[in-house]
């Protein structure tokens, strides 16, 4: 890759900023992910890091392409990012959020799983339930995703949403279990509901999809615990 773009050495240095023992694993899995991308995708990532004057003009195309890269990595969840985005935007409109905030949440929801580029494909494509080691790897994706987006320079407002979209409303979740309630960005709370609903109503190799009725019942059950009750109410009122 070009010296001015995304290099393996710069990614290793970047990953070294993570605390503790996770830094070596993040460096390894992210570099593997970059190697898996086709040349056109490498050029895209380099353009994100390098461009300045026309960044905003190409904002939507970059988002769409990155979303496609995410989907290509995991055939079992293909189309997931677009569906989460549609649910999230509908929630934003129901909650009457300002357009600027809605647009940011829309972008974040499309890119919420970009950190999965750094997860082993054997885990993402596993046809049996994940074991504890697999789950620990999967749990890295919000932090990896936040680091990736931080580097783009023009998506910085959505970084906290991506980092915390697996935080629980009552505390817990990952990567920062101490966050809860209003300390979790509203965008992350909205994405959490949209993400969970699509996951529950989609088939996986190791389980069948829930019905819409079953999934909405689960959202109601978890409102105030895993999910923000105001967001759940907005979603159920659609």
């Amino acid at each position: 890759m070009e010296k001015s773009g995304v290099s393996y050495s710069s990614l290793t240095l970047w990953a070294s900023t993570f605390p503790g023992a996770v830094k070596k694993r993040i460096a390894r899995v992210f570099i593997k992910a970059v190697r898996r991308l086709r040349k056109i995708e490498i050029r895209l990532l380099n353009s994100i890091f390098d461009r300045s004057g026309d960044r905003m003009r190409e904002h939507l195309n970059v988002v769409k392409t990155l979303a496609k890269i995410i989907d290509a990595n995991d055939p079992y969840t293909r189309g997931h990012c677009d569906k989460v985005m549609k649910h999230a935007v509908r929630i934003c409109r129901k909650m009457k959020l300002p357009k600027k905030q809605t647009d940011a949440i829309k972008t974040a929801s499309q890119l919420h799983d970009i950190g999965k580029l750094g997860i082993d494909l054997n885990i993402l494509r596993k046809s049996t339930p994940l074991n504890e080691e697999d789950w620990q790897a999967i749990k890295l994706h919000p932090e990896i995703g936040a680091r990736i987006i931080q580097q783009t320079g023009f998506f910085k407002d959505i970084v906290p949403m991506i980092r915390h979209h697996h935080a629980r409303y009552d505390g817990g979740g990952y990567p920062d279990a101490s966050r809860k309630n209003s300390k979790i960005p509203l965008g992350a709370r909205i994405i959490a509901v949209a993400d969970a609903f699509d996951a529950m109503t989609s088939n996986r190799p190791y389980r069948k999809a829930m019905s819409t009725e079953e999934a909405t019942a689960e959202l109601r059950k978890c409102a105030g615990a895993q999910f923000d009750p105001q967001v759940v109410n907005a979603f159920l009122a659609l």
Side-chain angles (χ1 to χ4, degrees):
M1 286 178 283
E2 293 180 5
K3 192 171 183 181
S4 62
V6 184
S7 68
Y8 299 143
S9 59
S10 65
L11 285 171
T12 303
L13 178 62
W14 159 74
S16 71
T17 63
F18 283 84
V22 299
K23 62 185 179 182
K24 289 183 180 179
R25 176 175 177 80
I26 291 172
R28 183 172 64 253
V29 297
F30 192 76
I31 289 169
K32 284 182 180 179
V34 171
R35 284 174 175 159
R36 284 200 301 268
L37 299 179
R38 298 187 299 274
K39 288 183 179 180
I40 187 172
E41 293 161 351
I42 293 295
R43 286 197 298 270
L44 168 69
L45 290 176
N46 279 339
S47 72
I48 292 172
F49 279 74
D50 292 340
R51 287 183 178 176
S52 55
D54 60 348
R55 280 181 176 177
M56 292 309 297
R57 188 167 62 250
E58 298 196 356
H59 173 94
L60 290 177
N61 286 336
V62 168
V63 171
K64 289 177 182 179
T65 306
L66 287 174
K68 287 178 181 178
I69 295 171
I70 300 166
D71 278 352
N73 235 28
D74 186 357
Y76 296 122
T77 58
R78 191 154 292 157
H80 171 70
C81 292
D82 279 342
K83 287 185 284 184
V84 171
M85 178 269 291
K86 290 175 184 177
H87 292 317
V89 169
R90 291 170 66 206
I91 293 170
C92 289
R93 290 172 179 165
K94 191 67 179 180
M95 296 180 73
K96 298 181 179 179
L97 299 184
K99 184 181 185 302
K100 183 177 180 180
Q101 188 175 13
T102 297
D103 288 345
I105 293 170
K106 178 180 179 180
T107 301
S109 60
Q110 284 185 294
L111 298 178
H112 72 282
D113 273 346
I114 193 171
K116 287 185 178 179
L117 288 173
I119 307 302
D120 192 325
L121 280 176
N122 292 323
I123 296 175
L124 294 178
R125 297 175 179 178
K126 198 169 184 179
S127 60
T128 56
L130 301 179
N131 60 36
E132 182 58 29
E133 184 178 355
D134 296 335
W135 274 117
Q136 290 306 314
I138 288 289
K139 287 179 180 179
L140 291 172
H141 84 268
E143 189 169 4
I144 295 173
R147 296 276 184 167
I148 294 170
I149 297 304
Q150 181 71 40
Q151 296 298 321
T152 68
F154 58 94
F155 288 136
K156 289 183 179 179
D157 57 334
I158 71 171
V159 170
M161 303 183 210
I162 291 175
R163 180 179 173 82
H164 298 294
H165 75 273
H166 279 294
R168 288 179 58 96
Y169 185 72
D170 62 355
Y174 54 92
D176 185 359
S178 66
R179 291 223 171 200
K180 61 180 182 179
N181 303 334
S182 61
K183 291 183 179 180
I184 304 168
L186 177 57
R189 286 177 266 153
I190 289 173
I191 293 169
V193 171
D195 186 28
F197 181 79
D198 184 65
M200 288 188 287
T201 55
S202 299
N203 285 315
R204 294 291 185 269
Y206 50 86
R207 65 157 175 81
K208 291 184 178 180
M210 290 183 181
S211 67
T212 298
E213 292 74 19
E214 290 171 325
T216 54
E218 187 68 16
L219 290 178
R220 285 193 186 95
K221 176 183 174 183
C222 296
Q226 184 175 355
F227 306 116
D228 182 334
Q230 286 187 303
V231 175
V232 172
N233 288 339
F235 180 76
L236 296 180
L238 294 173

